[in-house]
């Protein structure tokens, strides 16, 4: 045990130093400039998503140096195909459903100002966008625009797969399975806490929780990352691949703005209490994680052994 833990401690230290250090370094212009209003915010945020992947690649290539690096990060193999495709389908759908179901739960608890019937908040967003563009657009029924929104989320889930992989290669590709040596529950908890704290450079500036003080926003982000990270972890460990976790992360990001679509016009959504970011939105994911745990769905799936190349006969 002692001989095994020392290299892991070194790998973990390098991974955390690089992922957190690079993230803060990239976010530094936001802290020295206009914060979330900085025109470089979105390029910087996308670049930050790549820092866990950089950290994982450095550890794998220069610290651990396993013989099969792609396998070590769960990028390969893509078999059995049926299992992988099944978990990819779940990865696309489950995050969207969790985000959507959080809204009626929040409405029932009185913390989400919903307008499911008339979509007045969505109409308000559309009108503001048209006014900003300054050009007339055809009068399209709000229901059709809502359908387009769902299509955009599906398309966005695939378009943003590579940036999401930048995070998942680190969190669920490298970190989570290494932490499984301490047990499934500690691994999911610790990896979720690390994932949440990694967001500190932008959360402390008001990202995701604009109505909360920085410490509370970061605390809420950690809570959300532990719960949603467990869902992503289930997809990762049962598929034996990082790709479903990456697609789930991308799908989650693409659908995260649905709380603006179904809100009442003129109302502010406090994300500490409402949406998937707030405590009311965690209720259904916690129940899902509990069911998955009770049914043994956090046990790692078997990984297909590498097939040796056939020996060629001498001519």
């Amino acid at each position: 045990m002692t001989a095994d833990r020392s290299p892991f401690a070194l790998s973990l230290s390098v991974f955390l130093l690089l992922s957190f250090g690079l993230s803060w370094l990239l976010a530094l212009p936001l802290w020295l400039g206009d914060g979330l209003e900085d025109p470089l915010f979105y390029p910087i945020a996308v670049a930050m998503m790549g820092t866990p992947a950089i950290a994982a690649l450095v550890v794998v290539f220069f610290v651990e140096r396993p013989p099969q690096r792609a396998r070590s990060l769960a990028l390969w193999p893509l078999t059995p195909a049926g299992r992988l495709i099944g978990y990819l389908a779940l990865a696309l759908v489950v995050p969207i459903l969790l985000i959507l179901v959080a809204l009626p739960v929040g409405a029932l608890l009185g913390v989400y100002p919903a307008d499911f019937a008339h979509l007045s908040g969505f109409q308000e967003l559309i009108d503001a966008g048209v006014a900003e563009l300054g050009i007339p657009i055809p009068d399209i029924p709000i229901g059709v625009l809502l359908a387009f929104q769902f299509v955009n989320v599906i398309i966005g889930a695939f378009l943003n797969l590579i940036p999401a992989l930048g995070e998942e290669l680190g969190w669920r590709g490298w970190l989570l399975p290494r932490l499984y040596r301490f047990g499934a529950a500690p691994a999911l908890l610790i990896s979720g806490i690390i994932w949440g704290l990694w967001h500190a450079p932008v959360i402390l500036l008001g990202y995701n929780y604009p109505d909360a003080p920085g410490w509370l926003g970061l605390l809420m982000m950690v809570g959300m990352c532990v719960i949603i990270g467990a869902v992503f972890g289930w997809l990762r460990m049962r598929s034996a691949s990082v790709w479903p976790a990456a697609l789930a992360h991308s799908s989650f990001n693409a659908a995260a703005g649905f709380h603006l679509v179904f809100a009442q016009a003129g109302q502010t959504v406090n994300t500490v209490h409402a949406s998937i970011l707030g405590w009311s939105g965690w209720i259904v994911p916690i129940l899902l994680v509990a069911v998955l745990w009770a049914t043994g769905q956090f046990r790692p799936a078997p990984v297909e052994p590498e097939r040796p190349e056939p020996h060629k006969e001498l001519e």
Side-chain angles (χ1 to χ4, degrees), residues 16 162 188:
L16 294 177
I162 297 305
L188 294 165

Side-chain angles (χ1 to χ4, degrees), residues 30 36 41-42 45 49 199-212 214 217-218 221 253 256 271 277:
L30 302 178
L36 302 183
F41 170 72
Y42 285 105
M49 293 179 72
H199 289 86
V202 291
I203 297 298
L204 293 176
L205 289 172
Y207 188 67
N208 278 348
Y209 300 94
D211 300 314
L218 187 57
M221 191 67 186
N253 287 353
T271 50
L277 298 170

